[in-house]
């Protein structure tokens, strides 16, 4: 008998303009679209943008209707008004979700349910010198020993851009040191 994890709520405040968002709940794109449509109301507008596409809400309709959705990614959500979105779902186990980092810009979601230092979060990645992690507010770069800059902690609900200098793809799991 395997115990089923309980559903929890995640509430995120969105401001007009771009919001860098991610979730640690096992949800669908339709759940996200419904939460945003409810939050902005019938006259509001919104856009959900991924690294690979976007959808927009106008007059209560999403166009196009679909796009790829992966909770391991970060999404930029643009809304016309201050609002809160509430999502309900089972929390993911971040140790079961492998993230692949390619050369260049990678839009990554932060999957753990607790804040984590940049050093701890990327301990299993073996970053290259000059790799950069960016939040909406700042960035930090890897100097070969540690991360230096304004981003020192990764937060649940936030999204990040990881700029990789490595020519080969790398994979990691948040907070799991691959060197153990």
């Amino acid at each position: 008998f395997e115990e089923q994890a309980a559903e929890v709520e995640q509430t995120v405040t969105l401001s007009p303009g771009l919001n860098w968002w991610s979730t640690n709940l096992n949800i669908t794109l339709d759940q996200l679209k419904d939460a945003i449509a409810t939050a902005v109301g019938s006259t509001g507008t919104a856009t959900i943008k991924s690294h690979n596409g976007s959808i927009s809400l106008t007059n209560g309709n999403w166009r196009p209707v679909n796009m790829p959705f992966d909770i391991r990614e970060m999404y930029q959500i643009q809304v016309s008004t201050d609002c809160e979105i509430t999502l309900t779902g089972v929390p993911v186990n971040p140790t079961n979700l492998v993230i692949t980092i390619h050369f260049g810009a990678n839009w990554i979601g932060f999957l753990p349910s607790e804040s984590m230092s940049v050093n701890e979060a990327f301990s299993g990645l073996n970053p290259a010198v000059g790799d950069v992690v960016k939040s909406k507010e700042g960035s930090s770069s890897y100097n070969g020993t540690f991360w230096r800059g304004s981003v020192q902690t990764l937060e649940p609900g936030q999204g990040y851009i990881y700029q990789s200098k490595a020519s080969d793809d790398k994979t990691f799991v948040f907070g799991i040191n691959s060197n153990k």
Side-chain angles (χ1 to χ4, degrees):
F1 175 70
E2 190 173 316
E3 191 173 325
Q4 183 68 24
E7 286 192 337
V8 298
E9 278 190 354
Q10 177 191 42
T11 301
V12 178
T13 301
L14 301 175
S15 303
L18 285 181
N19 298 271
W20 291 24
W21 173 87
S22 71
T23 188
N24 56 11
L25 301 180
N26 193 8
I27 63 162
T28 64
L29 177 60
D30 285 339
Q31 287 173 284
L32 177 59
K33 289 171 21 183
D34 290 348
I36 292 171
T38 300
V40 300
S42 60
T43 60
T45 60
T47 299
I48 304 171
K49 182 180 179 188
S50 74
H51 200 203
N52 303 319
S54 67
I55 57 175
S56 295
L57 175 69
T58 308
N59 299 324
N61 296 306
W62 288 97
R63 297 285 182 259
V65 175
N66 215 346
M67 70 178 205
F69 183 75
D70 185 334
I71 61 171
R72 292 174 290 190
E73 295 182 15
M74 178 263 285
Y75 293 85
Q76 292 181 342
I77 300 176
Q78 187 165 358
V79 291
S80 57
T81 184
D82 284 309
C83 60
E84 277 189 355
I85 60 170
T86 301
L87 298 160
T88 303
V90 175
V92 300
N93 180 346
T95 62
N96 292 339
L97 295 170
V98 176
I99 296 175
T100 300
I101 299 292
H102 310 282
F103 174 79
N106 298 267
W107 290 27
I108 59 172
F110 184 65
L111 302 172
S113 58
E114 301 291 329
S115 301
M116 193 177 280
S117 73
V118 177
N119 284 324
E120 184 183 4
F122 298 124
S123 63
L125 182 60
N126 190 22
V129 173
D131 280 8
V132 175
V133 63
K134 298 177 185 177
S135 70
K136 187 179 175 202
E137 291 82 27
S139 66
S140 287
S141 60
Y142 188 70
N143 68 8
T145 307
F146 58 89
W147 293 88
R148 173 174 284 161
S150 59
V151 175
Q152 290 298 311
T153 305
L154 302 187
E155 302 287 343
Q158 300 299 306
Y160 299 90
I161 295 177
Y162 190 101
Q163 189 78 33
S164 175
K165 301 287 186 195
S167 57
D168 294 338
D169 289 353
K170 296 181 180 186
T171 60
F172 79 104
V173 173
F174 276 110
I176 295 182
N177 190 333
S178 63
N179 300 323
K180 286 185 180 176

